[in-house]
Structures are given as structure tokens and as C-alpha cells.
């Protein structure tokens, strides 16, 4: 008998455009979620083909047949489909499955594993055990225990039942209930209706408390705080359960619940997307954030999971969650639609080799980005920009100044990114349509006014990031730099400046200080002044310069930048910052070139030094080169 063909997930043109514009309906979002569920089932089916042979190769007697686990999963689905859905809805299941599939295929990419192969394989039994736990289907499953803890996906961790780093344990399901048994202890697990409650030997996934219904009154599943799953980390696994106390977790719950409520009130479309696609929030260390920044991430391997450090307030939390929700949507969409031509299929006409994709300036990143990376950033920050655009209408005072700054920064950055991306030949027809929808949204923001001071800070911040990026990653070709150096030393007029070439320098990348300081200045001016006075007394030149330029203290800023440049002449941020410290009306042609083409000024200066000439002052050299750029 011929098997029926598999159904195919398809995105209509209207749905595709709505997703791109950030106006996806719940039906559109459920389609993305359903496609990811199908992807998981395909991965599990692929594992099933290889897991038994891999188990035999591991020569570990504790690994049961994958088909045994699969049969129990099927029995649980027949009796109680919701039980299996609860297990498969855990984003870390996909994380485990994809990593194991790559491991069996000999692919080294992705996070590193400290788990022996038999233990990774044995987690297939953990899926079945978790389904049996919820459905009551009887069975005895042999599962791995990491430091005595047993993973039950979608529910939590049981144990400890052993002391060794890795050991075997059993999960027994019968009429009397569920018991996890290890070499040193056994734990009776709560009934399925009580799985969210912490009991001795049971660490559940923590459903977040304090959530009101969505703005339209609909009740949607709350996300959970995952501090226990061994596969919750995108960079290494397994991880032991976090030891965070209840007080710390309540801080997380309060802040995140406030963010969800804020989005429900002010940006309901983004709120619906967040509630629909994000299932698990994984707290990072309190110290994971740098200054006013939050460390957050999504992964292609774990649809529905977001890791983040603790945001400073509910507004920052809302912006971060919108950002990651957008990444989740695009990750799922890219499984259905190609936005960028596959470089392996696009051959160079002369060499026959795969075409190299161009790298672009992504205004929110310090490293050059390929086309798909730039699309990801544009889509994510378009959502964040829309949040700040809406938030501005609901706040006053310092919070309004903060919102004006964030909105103005993203409006300018998105415009710049689109100008580079729209003509890129690597975009497919769908990619052009996708980027065009984002461009149409950003175009509606252009006439929005922002307050003068936040607007000026935003312009300077964008200019600084662009100029520093150019100085780090672009170069004037050496022959032309040498020709310009010869003209300078001969006292001749400057030849025309040539185009610059990309030379990525990831070793030069570091976090900027301007952005975090500007945010503190706008949202907490008293705090800013206290810190500024402290830095004036004992701070390093870079911080003193940053505080002074953000405060608009030109004299102090110029002096501090000069000291910084003297200490570290190779750091472009020092001399670029010195130009920005000057009022706009006082900047001459040379200053403009230092901001627009800093790599050209730096490259010619190096060429003069290499040729044995007197190293010229940057401002003087820029003024000379500026004549050629007129």
C-alpha cells in the first residue's frame, strides 16, 4: 500500500506580507508554530531511524530501544493527546533532538556537549516518560540522570536520585502513580494536575505568576521560567538546575509580567505575537547585562525559547521580548520561504564557484553581517521601533525623552540598513517583498517629530557607530593610500578619494559607551550626574569623554578625547568622538570627512608614517583630503 503524501505548510502571499509588516494574525502565527511542530516530528522520525544502531555502538546496556519509547508515545497520544502535546511544546526538546541528530551525523557545529552518547540517546526515553507521567499510560523506562537529576520534558526535573555525574535511573508509571528510582534514592512525583507545584525531589518548570489576560480578554497560556531543563542553554549542555531562590524568581516574574501587560496596552499586535510564539523564558545571570544593555538570544534549534538577562525595568523588558519574538517568527518563516538565494546554488559565471555574499553594515551590530543576518536585524528592530513609536504616546517626562531617543535611533538605523539591502542581488523575489514591507512601515515614521535633545543625541549616536564601524572594517586600497601619502608629502593637491574595501576586523570590536550613557542621561539624569562627577575625579579618559559629550560639555569632552587619543592613538572612537563633541555648526569639511570616511584618513596617515614622513595631525590631513572629496 502506498503511503499518503505528507501535508505541506504553505504561507499565502497575504499572510507573508502581513508577517513581514509585523501585522501577523493569530492564524498566521499558529501556522508558523505548526510548521515548527512538524519540523520536530521529522527530526524525531530521523532520530528513530538511527538511534537503535547508535545505541548498539555505544555498548551501554542501559539504553532501551528508541522504538520502545516511540510506541509508548503513540499509546499516550491515543489516550491523552494533550499529554504528548505538552511534552513536544517544550522548546528544549527540539534543542536536544537537533543537537543529537547532528552528533549522530558527525556534524560538529552548534553548542558543545559534555554528555556521553548513551545519555544523549537515552533522553528519547525521557520524552516517553514525560508523556506517560501526564497520561497515566503504564510503563517502566530507563532514563539518564545527570548529577542525579532526571529530565521530564515539558514538566521539570526529578531528583536527586544519585550522586554520580551520569547514571541510570528508572521512571515507573502504574496505578499507584509515578516514581523515579535511582541507585541511591527514589522520588514519588506529583499527579499530573499538580506538576506545576514544587515538592521534595521535584523541580517543575515555573509557570509565571501574576499575568492578566490579554488586552482582548482572551486567556492564553502563560510562558514559563525555565531554570531547570538541561538543554535550556544555547551554547553548552547539559546544565544543572539553577539554584535561584524564590525571591529572585519573583523579581523576574514581576518585571516580565509588567512587560506583557505594557505590550497588551500599548502595542497589542506585538503582544499577540509574543504570547503565541514564545513559550519559555530562560533567565541568565543577574550580571549578564552590561551597563544599560540586556543580553538576550533566540536559537534556530529551540523555537519558542528566549534567554535573557534581567531587564532594568518593564519597558526595557517589553522591548527585548518584542525583539526576540520577531526573531522567533522569522526563524520559523525561513523554514517555509527563502528570502536569500542559496550561495551554494548561485555560481560565479567565471570561476564556477559559489558566489560570496556581500557583507553589510548593520547599524545595531559592531561586525559586518551577511544578507540574512541583516534581514533578521531589520525585522527584529522594526518591531522594537514600532514599540517605542507607540510607547511615546503614553508617557511623559524622562520616559518620553528615553522613548524619543530609542525611536529616533531605530528610525535612522533602519533607513540606513534598507538603503544597503534593497538593491542587494542576493535577495529572492520573496526577500525583496519582505524587505519592502518593512520599508513601507518605516516610511510612515519619517514625519514624526521627536524632542530636540533626544533627537540630537540619536543623530550623534548613529553617526558615531557608523564612523567607528567604517574605521574598523573598511580600508582604502594600499596603492591609492600610498599615492595619497606621496601627494601629501610633496605638498600637492589631494587626488580624488577612491572607494573603500571591506576588511573585517573582529579583533577590534568592543561595546560602545555612548549609547548606555545617553540612555542613563535621558531616563535618570540625577544618576547620570552623580556618576559623571565620580568619573571626572577618578575615571579613565574614555568614560570621562563619554559623560562629557553626552552632557553637551564641549570643552571637557574635547580635552578627555584628546587624552584618550594620546593614550591609544589607534582607537578610532577617540578621535571620532572628539569631532562629535564639537557643535555641528563648528565642524568644517575636514571634520565631516573624519565622520564620513574615517578609514580613508586613517589609512593615508598610516601610509605617510610607513613612507618615513612626519605623521600628520588627523584634522589637518582630513582638511586636505576633504578638498578632494568636494
Amino acid at each position: 500500500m502506498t503511503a499518503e503524501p505528507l501535508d505541506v505548510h504553505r504561507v499565502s502571499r497575504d499572510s507573508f506580507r502581513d508577517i513581514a509588516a509585523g501585522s501577523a494574525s493569530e492564524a498566521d502565527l499558529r501556522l508558523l508554530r505548526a510548521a515548527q511542530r512538524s519540523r520536530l516530528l521529522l527530526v524525531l522520525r530521523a532520530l528513530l531511524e538511527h538511534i537503535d544502531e547508535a545505541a548498539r555502538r555505544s555498548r551501554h546496556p542501559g539504553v532501551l530501544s528508541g522504538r520502545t519509547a516511540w510506541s509508548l508515545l503513540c499509546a499516550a497520544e491515543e489516550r491523552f493527546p494533550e499529554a504528548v502535546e505538552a511534552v513536544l511544546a517544550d522548546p528544549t526538546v527540539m534543542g536536544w533532538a537537533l543537537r543529537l541528530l547532528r552528533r549522530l551525523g558527525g556534524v560538529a557545529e552548534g553548542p558543545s556537549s559534555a554528555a556521553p552518547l548513551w545519555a544523549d540517546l537515552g533522553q528519547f526515553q525521557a520524552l516517553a516518560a514525560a508523556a506517560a507521567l501526564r497520561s497515566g499510560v503504564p510503563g517502566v523506562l530507563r532514563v539518564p540522570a545527570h548529577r542525579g537529576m532526571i529530565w521530564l520534558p515539558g514538566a521539570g526535573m526529578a531528583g536527586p536520585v544519585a550522586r554520580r555525574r551520569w547514571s541510570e535511573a528508572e521512571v515507573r508509571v502504574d496505578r499507584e502513580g509515578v516514581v523515579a528510582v535511582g541507585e541511591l534514592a527514589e522520588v514519588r512525583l506529583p499527579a499530573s494536575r499538580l506538576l506545576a507545584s514544587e515538592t521534595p525531589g521535584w523541580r517543575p518548570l515555573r509557570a509565571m505568576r501574576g499575568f492578566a489576560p490579554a488586552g482582548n480578554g482572551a486567556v492564553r497560556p502563560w510562558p514559563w521560567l525555565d531554570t531547570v531543563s538541561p538543554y535550556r542553554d544555547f551554547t553548552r549542555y547539559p546544565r544543572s538546575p539553577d539554584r535561584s531562590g524564590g525571591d529572585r524568581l519573583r523579581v523576574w516574574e514581576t518585571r516580565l509580567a509588567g512587560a506583557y501587560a505594557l505590550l497588551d496596552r500599548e502595542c497589542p499586535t506585538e503582544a499577540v505575537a509574543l504570547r503565541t510564539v514564545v513559550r519559555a523564558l530562560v533567565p541568565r545571570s543577574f550580571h549578564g547585562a552590561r551597563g544599560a544593555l540586556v543580553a538576550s538570544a533566540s536559537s534556530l534549534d529551540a523555537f519558542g525559547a528566549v534567554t535573557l538577562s534581567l531587564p532594568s525595568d518593564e519597558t526595557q523588558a517589553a522591548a527585548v521580548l518584542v525583539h526576540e519574538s520577531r526573531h522567533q517568527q522569522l526563524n520559523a518563516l525561513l523554514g517555509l520561504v527563502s528570502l536569500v538565494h542559496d550561495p551554494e546554488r548561485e555560481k560565479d559565471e567565471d570561476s564556477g564557484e559559489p558566489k560570496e555574499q556581500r557583507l553589510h553594515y548593520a547599524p545595531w551590530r559592531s561586525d559586518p553581517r551577511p544578507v540574512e543576518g541583516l534581514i533578521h536585524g531589520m525585522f527584529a528592530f522594526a518591531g522594537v521601533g514600532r514599540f517605542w513609536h507607540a510607547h511615546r504616546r503614553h508617557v511623559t517626562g524622562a520616559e518620553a525623552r528615553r522613548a524619543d531617543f530609542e525611536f529616533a535611533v531605530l528610525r535612522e538605523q533602519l533607513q540606513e540598513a534598507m538603503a544597503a539591502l534593497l538593491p542587494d542581488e542576493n535577495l529572492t523575489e520573496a526577500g525583496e517583498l519582505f524587505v519592502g514591507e518593512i520599508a513601507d512601515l518605516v516610511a510612515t515614521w519619517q514625519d514624526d517629530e521627536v524632542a530636540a535633545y533626544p533627537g540630537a543625541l540619536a543623530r550623534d549616536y548613529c553617526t558615531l557607530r557608523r564612523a567607528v564601524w567604517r574605521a574598523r572594517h573598511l580600508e582604502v586600497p594600499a596603492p591609492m593610500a600610498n599615492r595619497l601619502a606621496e601627494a601629501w608629502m610633496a605638498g600637492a593637491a589631494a587626488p580624488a578619494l577612491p572607494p573603500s574595501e571591506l576588511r573585517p576586523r573582529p579583533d577590534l570590536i568592543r561595546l560602545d559607551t555612548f549609547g548606555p550613557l545617553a540612555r542613563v542621561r535621558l531616563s535618570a539624569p540625577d544618576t547620570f550626574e552623580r556618576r559623571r562627577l565620580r568619573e571626572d575625579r577618578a575615571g579613565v579618559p574614555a568614560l570621562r569623554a563619554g559623560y562629557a559629550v553626552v552632557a553637551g560639555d564641549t570643552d571637557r569632552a574635547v580635552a578627555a578625547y584628546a587624552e584618550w587619543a594620546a593614550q591609544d592613538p589607534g582607537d578610532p572612537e577617540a578621535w571620532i568622538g572628539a569631532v562629535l563633541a564639537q557643535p555641528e555648526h563648528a565642524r568644517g569639511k575636514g571634520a565631516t570627512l573624519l565622520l564620513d570616511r574615517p578609514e580613508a584618513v586613517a589609512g593615508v596617515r598610516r601610509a605617510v608614517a610607513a613612507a618615513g614622513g612626519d605623521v600628520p595631525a588627523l584634522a589637518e590631513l582630513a582638511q586636505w583630503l576633504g578638498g578632494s572629496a568636494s
Side-chain angles (χ1 to χ4, degrees), residues 295-306:
S296 66
S298 296
S299 171
L300 277 167
D301 285 359
F303 177 77
V306 169

Side-chain angles (χ1 to χ4, degrees), residues 493-555:
L497 276 176
S500 298
E501 297 177 346
L502 184 67
R503 294 287 187 273
R505 290 291 304 276
D507 55 306
L508 297 179
I509 292 172
R510 73 157 197 272
L511 292 176
D512 70 82
T513 57
F514 190 106
L517 291 180
R519 292 177 173 99
V520 176
R521 174 72 176 83
L522 292 166
S523 59
D526 292 341
T527 300
F528 177 87
E529 286 301 324
R530 286 196 304 272
R531 293 177 181 175
R532 181 188 171 201
L533 290 174
R534 186 177 65 230
E535 293 299 331
D536 275 346
R537 290 192 298 269
V540 297
L543 274 177
R544 283 193 281 112
Y547 274 102
V549 75
V550 168
D553 190 336
T554 301
D555 292 340

